[in-house]
Amino acid sequence: MILTDQVYAQAALLAGQLEGNQVDILRALCAAATASLTARLREGLRPEDCKADFIASASLYALAALNAVKDGDTLEQFTAGDLTIRKSASADPASNVLRNQAELMIAPYLKDRFCFRGV
């Protein structure tokens, strides 16, 4: 099983029941998350060197993106007189939590992040 398939398998497990084209969207998001994280790894590291953290992190990134896509058709801005209502998918708390958790998990292996590994 290739790495992208492993990321998709974990993301699909965490996502639960997917509807319609969400399966294809999640598969594409998993491939994008895998490619993006691979490019961000420190010099000399491969995804296989941190496989469990890599798969978990990439799957969480894909789920955060899927959540944003699902919310993408929601209200962006509505104005009536002095009242403005705006909902942005990027401000979605669930997506932000997933993205932050993914970043914390993979941070020790990235070239563009700093984290404490222990004292």
Side-chain angles (χ1 to χ4, degrees):
M1 183 180 266
I2 62 173
L3 188 62
T4 303
D5 292 336
Q6 293 172 328
V7 170
Y8 172 76
Q10 184 164 340
L13 180 68
L14 294 171
Q17 185 68 29
L18 297 172
E19 301 172 357
N21 66 346
Q22 288 180 334
V23 171
D24 294 331
I25 292 171
L26 182 59
R27 193 173 295 281
L29 291 171
C30 287
T34 299
S36 175
L37 285 179
T38 299
R40 293 177 59 200
L41 288 176
R42 285 192 326 248
E43 196 69 34
L45 277 181
R46 298 171 304 134
E48 293 79 15
D49 297 332
C50 52
K51 190 172 184 175
D53 288 336
F54 187 94
I55 290 171
S57 183
S59 67
L60 290 177
Y61 271 119
L63 287 174
L66 179 65
N67 194 45
V69 168
K70 286 193 306 190
D71 290 341
D73 59 352
T74 59
L75 183 65
E76 181 63 37
Q77 183 171 358
F78 173 76
T79 304
D82 293 335
L83 176 67
T84 300
I85 300 171
R86 175 181 302 149
K87 182 175 192 291
S88 173
S90 63
D92 179 50
S95 293
N96 288 338
V97 168
L98 290 171
R99 206 173 296 107
N100 289 340
Q101 187 60 45
E103 192 71 25
L104 288 171
M105 195 175 302
I106 198 70
Y109 309 103
L110 300 180
K111 59 185 167 192
D112 58 353
R113 294 290 296 187
F114 172 81
C115 74
F116 289 103
R117 296 190 71 165
V119 178

